[in-house]
Structures are given as structure tokens and as C-alpha cells.
Amino acid sequence: MDDVELNFIDLGAIPDSPKAAVENSLIIESALRSMNSTSHLTILAIPKGELFWLMGGIRADGLHNARIVIDGTLKFVDDTAGWPMKENKKKGFLPSECIEMHDLENVTFTSSSSGRGIHDRGIVDGSGHVWWGVPLIGYVEVGTARPHLLYVKNAKNFVVENLVLKDSPRWTCVFHGLDNAVIRHSSIVARRTSLDGHSLVDLSAFNTDGFDVSGHDIHIHDCDIWNQDDSIAVKDEPSGSYNMLFERINASGTGLVIGSIGKTHVRNITFRDSYLHRSYKGIFLKFRDGAGNPDRPGIIEDVLFEDIEVFAAEQWPIWIGPAQQAISGNPCNPQPCSLCWPILPWFGGDVCEPIEHAVYRNITLRNINITGPRTSLGTIIGGDRTPIRDIVFDNVFTHTCSSSSGGHSRIESFPGLLQPIEDPEVTTFYFILIVATIVPVLLVSCCCFFRWPRTPPWCKLFTTFLFVTIPPIVFLATILPGYGGAIDTSDFYACEGVEGGVAEGGTNVVPSCFEDRTVGGGGGVENCNSFVVAGISTGYAIFTTIILLFAGWRYYVISGELKKVKKKKGGEQDEEELELVSY
């Protein structure tokens, strides 16, 4: 039987109209639900060059032999108040997913072009900024009560290709229970600024995971992901997650991840031929609290990371241990390892405990190139009763003081970054920031200069100092990436609870809890953070000194001119008094 093609406009969809979002959603939902034929392929076409507004809550189950061709743009409205809700047994009512689908077979999401230009591939845009809210404030207000962009549960022979998935309110692609799946030639982007890294403003788009997958026989390749959480994450599956290959991935977020894993079994996972650019973390394996069940422990085994470049990691290039995360409103609350560890020891930030009974075994890192990390080379934390077993670092080489990205072009590596940033909440944030920093300084200035020109010299210099220091420091704190500079970059910050750990080949920094079998006996590297921090501090100190000297010189000049004016006026007054007396 011939293929059946459904054109979205022919079905009644209205382009370029936010007011048609609900109607468009009903049309696409109806079309998807009809794509369940077992005898022929049904194609739903989203025309190129058209933008269709949608409302969330699109639900379609049981698709068979379906191909959704997105050549235009599907964009979800920013109407959070009118967003449909669904009941969650644990958390009450939560926003429905943007698109949710269950029990699929032979389903493909694609576009007609595999080009990497800004308009070549189809786009699915979640309008995430309205859910992220004002940076550093919105997450406190909304938390995790945000929809996922594309949620799929139980899919066999499933394909995603040639798409740009942009600005998801929360996790971008949540694919549970996959059986034989391929994801390729697609981009994920979730960012708030065009900065080359992950500033506090960008990180406020937290929980925007890239591809979260569970199941078996999964192949993800030739994709780029720039987000503010796990870029690719292997997740829990009751029957286990296994036989997965991830290759030729360019990522910048919290890295290439396995976890967090609870009391399930993850095995035979390979990441290879990939590039991590200024990623917050690099290679990241993590167990959460639920993994420490002695009767049913979580297991991560037979894992290979091979031929991976980690450039300028902003936090940890390598992390193997407990999940460093926060679930409650307190970001320093250890669950099980505090996000504030080891920098901020307050409010639980000094806690990072291993997950006892959780099992790591047969983990290999081979041909890993770490360049210019901003903090320690990594953290490896196993339990006393269940240590990490049989972990091998084979030719894990570190260049701590290099700033070279190895010839990688940021835009060529991440074509998803060509997508424009649409985030008015950031403008609001910087307006609030300016008011909160400049206005107090202006008030001090007004008080200080109220009696001009009789203002004391110290007051003028103090006011100048406030102008020079406070606004730039506050502004820089919001745009500088990572928290580098506080930790020695020449070694692993922690290495404990390891049994059978081996460093071999050309590995030049051997973790302290590993056996050294390297060719050159390790060798080590120098710590660069002290030089970086000293350079920044010295430069800023010189800048501040120049400004203060200039202010002092100007005060000296102005004071001299005022004295001349006073002297002149005083002389004229004396002459007038003499004339009156003589008269």
C-alpha cells in the first residue's frame, strides 16, 4: 500500500499566529494519533519556511510506521498561566509535557535537510526563557515544575535526525525504554547569553538536559549539544540500560554522563571520538542515594570513554562517584554530594559522601586529552565497603596551562549556536542588577558630595573606589564561567575508595589511589590556577590604582583651583572692607 502524507496546513493549521496555538496543537495531536497503521507509512509534513505556534500538552500514543517531517518551526507559546496541567502522585499537579508519546514502533522524527545552516533543519522551540524566569530568581520561583520538550516512553525502532531542539523549559529529550534507537545529525541548544562558557546567568537555565536515554541498543552520533545540565545521560531502566554507543558528540554542559543511577543495572556503554568545549563537567559518572541498597544495589560496569578531548572544563574534567546535585531549594544541601563542595563549606557544602553498596566496576578511560582545566583534574570517590573496582586510566593526558582548543572552531563544532537568543528575562535581570549596584553607590556619592566643594578628600576617593570596584565585580560575577582559581589544577582533588585502579600508557597525572604503571612514571603537570588568578588580580589592582591616582590628581587640581578662587574672593572682600573703614 502506498504511503499516506498529511500536510499540516492542509489539515487546517494556521502559521505565524500565537492565537492559533491551541487549535494547532489539537490538529497535530489528532494527526499523530491517526498515524498507527501496520500496513503503510504515514507521513506528517511541517512545511519549510513556516512557523507554527503550539500549546503544550500534546499527547499521542501507539504510533506505528510514522514519519514526522519537520521542515519548518514548531514553537511553543510562553503562556505559562494557560498551560495544561497533569496530576503527579508525588508532587500534585505539574505542567504537561510539550509533546508526550508512549508505545511507539517504527517512528522517525526528521527534516528533509541535514544541512548545518541556521534555517536548514527543522526546529522545535520550547520558549524556555519564560519558564527559566529572571536569572538567579526564576529557578527559586518555579523549581522543576516545568515541562520537558519531547518525552517518549517505550519505543522500538525509533529515530531522531536532522533537527534543532531549542530552549526546552526543562529536559529536552527524555527517551525511556528505547529498543533499537538512532539519534543523529541533530543539535540541542539551551542558553541565555552568547558567552563562550557557562556563566551564572546561563546556568540559571538549569535542568535543561540534552538527550536522557534508557533502554538498550541505542546509537547517538554526530550531534552537538550546548546546554546547562547533562548533555547526554544514560538513565535508569527497570530492566537495565545496556549496549549503547555515543560517538562524534560535541558537547558543552555538565558533560557525557552515566546517571544519576539508582538501584538498576547499567552496562556496556561506550563514549568515543567526542569533544567537550568549556563544559561544566566532562566525564561524569554518578549514583544517587537510592543506589545504596544492599539487597538491590545500583551497578555501573563495562564502561569505556575513548578518544575524548576535554577543553577548559569549568569545574571537574572527570567525576566518578556520588551525584553532585541539589534537589531541595538549598543548592548546598548534599543529595548525596553538595553542589557547593568543596568551595563553600556552609549549609551542607562540606559534605560529599560515597554511596555505600553501589557498584562501579570495569571502567576504562583511554586516550583522554584534558586541556586547560579551571579547577582540579577530577574527583574519584568510592565507598569503603564497595570500592570502585578495576578502573583504568590509559593515556589520560593533561595540559593544564594550555589555552588551545586543538583547532576546534566553536561555531563549526556547535551549529546549534547559530540559533538566535530570545530571552527578555536576561534584560530584566541586568536592569535589576544595575539598579541594585549603581543606586547604592549613587546614594553614597550624593551624601559624600552634598557639601561640595567642602567634601573631605577621603570621601571623594572612597566614592571613586566604590564606582571602580562594586559594579564591575558584581557584573563580572554573573558572566565569568565556572569557579576556577580555588583548586589546584595539577592533581585530582580526591581519590578514595578505589580497588584495582591502574594508570598506564602516557597518563601524566596518576591519581593517588591508583597503581602507577605509566611509561614515564607519571611526570605530573604544573598548577596554573595560581598564575591565572594572580594575573587577573594584578591586572585589576593596576586598573584600580590608575583610576584612584587619576581621581586623586583631579582632586588636587580642582582643590588648587578652588583655593585660588577663594583667595581671590577673599582679597576682593578685604579691599571692600578697607574702603568702608577709610570712608
Side-chain angles (χ1 to χ4, degrees):
M1 188 172 179
D2 294 337
D3 298 345
V4 174
E5 181 167 342
L6 308 173
N7 185 286
F8 198 32
I9 290 182
D10 293 343
L11 294 175
I14 302 172
D16 303 313
S17 175
K19 294 181 179 180
V22 173
E23 183 178 349
N24 287 345
S25 295
L26 293 173
I27 292 171
I28 198 171
E29 183 177 79
S30 176
L32 290 171
R33 290 181 175 182
S34 71
M35 302 171 74
N36 56 5
S37 173
T38 58
S39 60
H40 63 267
L41 177 67
T42 307
I43 302 170
L44 174 62
I46 312 298
K48 189 174 182 62
E50 301 288 0
L51 184 152
F52 297 92
W53 290 89
L54 300 175
M55 173 58 79
I58 297 170
R59 175 71 184 264
D61 299 342
L63 277 72
H64 286 74
N65 300 322
R67 186 176 181 87
I68 297 94
V69 182
I70 305 173
D71 287 330
T73 298
L74 298 177
K75 186 177 178 67
F76 287 86
V77 293
D78 56 7
D79 181 12
T80 58
W83 198 272
M85 307 292 283
K86 65 179 181 180
E87 188 173 5
N88 182 286
K89 293 181 180 179
K90 295 181 178 180
K91 300 181 180 180
F93 285 91
L94 295 174
S96 297
E97 317 300 2
C98 295
I99 301 175
E100 182 173 356
M101 311 175 83
H102 293 223
D103 304 322
L104 314 181
E105 186 171 354
N106 299 329
V107 174
T108 297
F109 284 85
T110 187
S111 68
S112 301
S113 171
S114 60
R116 296 161 66 88
I118 187 171
H119 299 299
D120 287 341
R121 296 172 292 175
I123 299 170
V124 182
D125 187 341
S127 298
H129 67 86
V130 71
W131 295 94
W132 306 333
V134 177
L136 311 183
I137 299 174
Y139 188 78
V140 176
E141 294 177 332
V142 180
T144 58
R146 295 171 283 149
H148 303 127
L149 186 61
L150 180 56
Y151 182 96
V152 172
K153 186 173 183 179
N154 299 330
K156 185 176 182 179
N157 303 330
F158 179 69
V159 177
V160 175
E161 62 183 7
N162 304 333
L163 294 177
V164 176
L165 302 152
K166 177 186 176 186
D167 293 346
S168 174
R170 197 181 176 204
W171 300 345
T172 306
C173 292
V174 186
F175 299 151
H176 286 310
L178 298 184
D179 175 359
N180 188 30
V182 176
I183 301 169
R184 59 196 174 203
H185 306 297
S186 294
S187 299
I188 287 179
V189 58
R191 60 175 181 156
R192 311 200 73 168
T193 74
S194 58
L195 296 171
D196 186 11
H198 301 272
S199 67
L200 287 176
V201 172
D202 283 303
L203 287 171
S204 65
F206 197 53
N207 289 135
T208 47
D209 289 24
F211 294 110
D212 287 357
V213 297
S214 69
H216 61 91
D217 299 296
I218 298 170
H219 187 195
I220 300 181
H221 64 90
D222 298 288
C223 292
D224 61 283
I225 305 151
W226 190 289
N227 65 330
Q228 312 305 320
D229 213 305
D230 300 344
S231 297
I232 288 181
V234 178
K235 291 295 187 182
D236 285 300
E237 184 64 31
S239 59
S241 288
Y242 55 94
N243 297 348
M244 298 187 188
L245 172 61
F246 309 95
E247 58 184 339
R248 297 185 297 280
I249 305 295
N250 296 328
S252 186
T254 56
L256 307 177
V257 183
I258 299 177
S260 62
I261 300 301
K263 47 189 178 183
T264 61
H265 191 177
V266 174
R267 60 184 172 86
N268 194 23
I269 309 296
T270 297
F271 291 87
R272 69 187 184 198
D273 298 330
S274 296
Y275 172 61
L276 297 169
H277 180 91
R278 298 191 186 277
S279 193
Y280 207 64
K281 282 185 172 72
I283 295 168
F284 190 14
L285 282 69
K286 53 182 176 177
F287 279 118
R288 61 179 180 273
D289 282 327
N293 186 327
D295 298 324
R296 189 184 170 191
I299 301 173
I300 298 176
E301 65 178 346
D302 303 331
V303 174
L304 172 64
F305 289 86
E306 185 175 32
D307 297 321
I308 294 174
E309 294 186 49
V310 184
F311 170 67
E314 294 176 1
Q315 199 190 58
W316 310 98
I318 298 172
W319 178 287
I320 303 172
Q324 190 180 29
Q325 63 186 14
I327 300 175
S328 66
N330 173 16
C332 291
N333 185 26
Q335 294 174 327
C337 179
S338 172
L339 281 174
C340 303
W341 182 88
I343 302 300
L344 303 174
W346 309 282
F347 310 109
D350 58 341
V351 177
C352 189
E353 298 294 339
I355 305 296
E356 295 291 355
H357 304 294
V359 176
Y360 283 112
R361 60 187 175 217
N362 193 22
I363 312 295
T364 299
L365 277 66
R366 179 179 297 131
N367 300 333
I368 309 298
N369 190 19
I370 301 172
T371 303
R374 291 177 55 82
T375 66
S376 156
L377 301 183
T379 293
I380 305 168
I381 301 177
D384 294 330
R385 284 172 287 184
T386 50
I388 299 171
R389 287 186 169 88
D390 302 324
I391 178 171
V392 177
F393 280 19
D394 180 7
N395 199 32
V396 177
F397 198 83
T398 303
H399 312 265
T400 55
C401 297
S402 174
S403 59
S404 171
S405 60
H408 293 276
S409 164
R410 179 170 172 245
I411 295 299
E412 289 181 4
S413 299
F414 297 90
L417 296 183
L418 293 171
Q419 297 299 318
I421 297 173
E422 303 168 275
D423 198 339
E425 313 295 339
V426 172
T427 304
T428 302
F429 169 73
Y430 280 114
F431 175 77
I432 294 172
L433 190 68
I434 290 171
V435 171
T437 55
I438 299 295
V439 170
V441 175
L442 289 176
L443 290 175
V444 173
S445 303
C446 290
C447 294
C448 205
F449 284 89
F450 184 74
R451 297 182 61 195
W452 181 275
R454 296 185 179 88
T455 308
W458 66 265
C459 194
K460 296 174 183 178
L461 292 177
F462 178 69
T463 304
T464 304
F465 176 77
L466 290 179
F467 269 112
V468 171
T469 56
I470 292 180
I473 287 174
V474 173
F475 179 75
L476 288 173
T478 66
I479 65 172
L480 290 177
Y483 57 63
I487 302 176
D488 184 356
T489 63
S490 64
D491 204 351
F492 284 79
Y493 184 81
C495 188
E496 57 192 54
V498 174
E499 186 178 288
V502 175
E504 57 189 28
T507 300
N508 62 337
V509 179
V510 179
S512 60
C513 56
F514 281 37
E515 178 186 351
D516 186 353
R517 296 183 189 170
T518 59
V519 174
V525 293
E526 59 181 322
N527 176 27
C528 284
N529 259 343
S530 57
F531 300 109
V532 173
V533 173
I536 294 174
S537 301
T538 302
Y540 191 72
I542 292 172
F543 170 74
T544 304
T545 301
I546 291 173
I547 294 296
L548 291 176
L549 288 174
F550 175 76
W553 172 74
R554 288 297 301 158
Y555 169 75
Y556 175 78
V557 172
I558 293 172
S559 297
E561 292 175 352
L562 289 173
K563 287 178 182 178
K564 291 178 181 179
V565 172
K566 285 182 180 179
K567 187 174 181 180
K568 183 177 180 181
K569 288 185 176 179
E572 292 175 352
Q573 183 177 359
D574 291 343
E575 290 178 3
E576 290 178 359
E577 290 176 353
L578 287 172
E579 289 177 1
L580 288 171
V581 170
S582 62
Y583 180 75

